[in-house]
Amino acid sequence: MTLEELLAQSVTDEAQRSQLLNAIKQDRAGLETNKQQILDELKEERKARQQQADKLKEFDGIDPAQVRAIMSRFENDEEAKLIAEGKTQEVIERKIEKVNAQHKAAMESSSKRVAELEAALAERDAKLSEIMIDNAAIQAASEFGIEGEGKLKIITMLARQAFKVEDGQPIMRDADGQIITGEKGPITQKEWIDRIVRQEHGYLLPTAKGVGSQGGKQGAQIASNPFKKDSLNLTEQARIQRENPQLAARLKAEAAA
C-alpha cells in the first residue's frame, strides 16, 4: 500500500490529505539530503584516518619521547635559532671554525707526541753511542795496561769528547771536520791512546819497568823498525814504548836519521 492510499483511507478531506502528503515528501527529501551528507562526512573521515595511518607507518620504530626530546633540544639550540633567523652563513662559519680548531688541536697534539718520540730516540741513540765508545775505549786501555776505576773514567771521558759514532763506528775528526786516520782507515781507540793520550795524558799509562840488560834482547826481537815510515806499526810502537822506553827512543832516533 502506497502512502497516498494510506492517507486516502485515513483522511477524508482532500485538501488536508494533500497538505500532509507534501509535508511527508519534504521530510523524506530532507532526510535523504541529511543521509547523503552524513555518508559523505563518514567517507571523508575514513579517508583522513587512512592518511593518518599511512603517515604513522613512516615513524615505525621511532620512540616519540626521544623525538620530542630531540625537537626540544633543537628548538633551544643556538644554531637552530640562527638558521630560523636566516643567518645560515654565520652557522656555516661557526662550523668551519670549530672544525679548524679541532684539527689544529689534533695537529698540535700529534706534533708534541712526535717531538717527544724524537727526543726519546735521540736520548737512546746518545746513550748507545756512549756505551759503544766507552766499551771500545776500555778495551783499548786494557791492552796498554791501564787499570783502576779513576783512570778508566778519564779514558772514557776523553774518548767521548774525541769520538762520535757515525754509521755504527766511532769516528774521530779534526778541527776542520776531516776524519783522522790510523794505520788502516779511521783511527781506532787503540791508536788514539797510543798517539794522542800517551802524548797529552801520559800519566794514565803505566810506567815501563826497568830494562837493564834486556835492552839487547828487546832489540834482537825487533825484525823491523816500527817507527820508520816504510815499516810503520803503531801497535808495535806502543808495545816497545811500554816495555822498553830506551829501545823505543833509540828506534825513534834511527827512524829520524
Side-chain angles (χ1 to χ4, degrees):
M1 183 179 293
T2 64
L3 179 61
E4 289 82 356
E5 292 174 345
L6 182 59
L7 288 174
Q9 292 178 357
S10 57
V11 180
T12 57
D13 188 304
E14 185 176 350
Q16 187 179 6
R17 186 171 60 248
S18 177
Q19 186 178 2
L20 287 172
L21 181 59
N22 289 334
I24 291 172
K25 288 181 177 181
Q26 289 178 359
D27 288 342
R28 283 183 174 178
L31 289 173
E32 289 294 333
T33 301
N34 290 338
K35 176 183 177 182
Q36 188 60 44
Q37 288 178 350
I38 292 172
L39 290 174
D40 292 341
E41 290 175 0
L42 288 174
K43 184 177 180 181
E44 289 297 325
E45 184 178 354
R46 291 194 192 98
K47 183 179 179 181
R49 288 181 179 180
Q50 185 61 45
Q51 289 176 345
Q52 289 179 348
D54 294 340
K55 194 69 175 177
L56 288 173
K57 288 181 180 179
E58 298 177 4
F59 298 93
D60 286 348
I62 298 177
D63 188 349
Q66 291 183 351
V67 174
R68 285 193 294 271
I70 292 173
M71 292 302 296
S72 176
R73 185 174 61 188
F74 184 77
E75 290 172 357
N76 296 325
D77 188 85
E78 184 178 0
E79 292 181 356
K81 293 179 180 180
L82 291 173
I83 292 174
E85 294 171 0
K87 300 178 181 179
T88 307
Q89 185 61 34
E90 184 176 346
V91 173
I92 294 173
E93 290 175 356
R94 288 191 178 189
K95 287 287 188 183
I96 294 174
E97 184 178 352
K98 183 178 180 180
V99 170
N100 288 339
Q102 292 174 343
H103 178 69
K104 182 180 179 180
M107 290 297 294
E108 289 177 351
S109 177
S110 178
S111 298
K112 182 180 178 181
R113 180 57 180 161
V114 169
E116 291 174 351
L117 291 174
E118 289 178 344
L121 288 173
E123 183 178 356
R124 185 203 65 178
D125 290 343
K127 190 64 178 177
L128 290 175
S129 296
E130 287 181 358
I131 293 173
M132 182 179 295
I133 292 172
D134 289 356
N135 289 342
I138 291 172
Q139 181 177 352
S142 67
E143 296 185 32
F144 286 94
I146 300 174
E147 299 176 344
E149 182 179 355
K151 288 185 176 181
L152 291 177
K153 281 186 176 180
I154 294 175
I155 286 291
T156 55
M157 179 191 70
L158 294 173
R160 291 181 188 179
Q161 294 173 353
F163 290 87
K164 300 296 179 185
V165 175
E166 299 179 18
D167 296 328
Q169 179 182 3
I171 298 295
M172 185 176 180
R173 295 180 180 272
D174 59 21
D176 296 327
Q178 300 298 317
I179 295 178
I180 298 177
T181 58
E183 185 177 357
K184 297 178 181 180
I187 188 171
T188 64
Q189 300 260 22
K190 187 175 180 179
E191 292 170 330
W192 165 71
I193 290 177
D194 188 34
R195 287 167 51 180
I196 299 176
V197 175
R198 183 184 296 278
Q199 180 180 354
E200 299 179 359
H201 306 277
Y203 62 90
L204 294 173
L205 282 80
T207 303
K209 298 179 181 179
V211 293
S213 61
Q214 296 179 3
K217 182 178 180 181
Q218 290 288 350
Q221 293 177 351
I222 301 301
S224 59
N225 190 338
F227 293 92
K228 288 185 177 181
K229 187 175 181 180
D230 56 353
S231 57
L232 183 66
N233 188 321
L234 296 178
T235 301
E236 187 66 12
Q237 287 179 18
R239 185 186 68 79
I240 296 173
Q241 288 182 107
R242 181 173 66 253
E243 297 178 355
N244 194 335
Q246 291 179 353
L247 176 59
R250 180 171 63 80
L251 294 173
K252 285 181 180 179
E254 292 177 357

